[in-house]
């Protein structure tokens, strides 16, 4: 579900920034430059979301440990794994919008208002 959200957000970002992409391509940015920009944005967005979610989860575990008699523990491996999976999802689902941005024709992109 998070991957679909990332993809939709990035597709909207590409659509909203069509003129910027056209301008960058017109002054010499290669398709790989555009691809890299949008892929990095998608990964950063998902990793930051994963970190926020992990923080909320850690707070929940601490609250359960403090308010109940259950033993609550946090595993550094689980935290790194959760953030890594989040980044991977951003990478996988961010490639399609990034490829779409990289394939834009600069002239058509600049004419789009």
């Amino acid at each position: 579900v998070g991957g679909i959200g990332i993809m939709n957000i990035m597709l909207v970002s590409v659509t909203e920034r069509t003129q910027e992409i056209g301008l960058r391509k017109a002054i010499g940015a290669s398709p790989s430059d555009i691809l890299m920009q949008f892929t990095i944005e998608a990964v950063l967005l998902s990793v930051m979301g994963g970190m926020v979610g992990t923080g909320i989860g850690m707070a929940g575990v601490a609250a359960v440990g403090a308010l109940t008699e259950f033993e609550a523990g946090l595993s550094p491996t689980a935290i790194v794994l959760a953030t890594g999976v989040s980044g991977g999802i951003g990478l996988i689902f961010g490639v399609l919008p990034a490829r779409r941005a990289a394939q834009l024709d600069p002239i058509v992109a600049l004419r789009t208002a």
Side-chain angles (χ1 to χ4, degrees):
V1 172
I4 294 169
I6 293 289
M7 187 183 310
N8 287 334
I9 289 170
M10 293 309 296
L11 283 170
V12 168
S13 177
V14 167
T15 303
E16 292 289 323
R17 294 164 58 188
T18 301
Q19 286 187 326
E20 174 193 332
I21 295 164
L23 182 61
R24 287 192 63 211
K25 290 186 86 167
I27 61 172
S30 68
S32 64
D33 293 334
I34 305 295
L35 180 71
M36 185 63 65
Q37 174 190 346
F38 282 95
T39 302
I40 289 171
E41 285 181 22
V43 170
L44 284 176
L45 180 66
S46 62
V47 166
M48 288 189 313
M51 291 172 77
V52 168
T54 301
I56 292 170
M58 290 169 57
V61 167
V64 166
L67 299 174
T68 66
E69 56 191 49
F70 294 118
E71 240 183 83
L74 296 170
S75 165
T77 305
I79 294 169
V80 170
L81 184 64
T83 306
V85 167
S86 175
I89 288 171
L91 179 64
I92 292 167
F93 285 91
V95 169
L96 178 68
R99 282 188 38 199
R100 182 175 171 193
Q103 293 173 348
L104 283 174
D105 181 29
I107 295 170
V108 173
L110 286 171
R111 285 187 188 165
T112 304

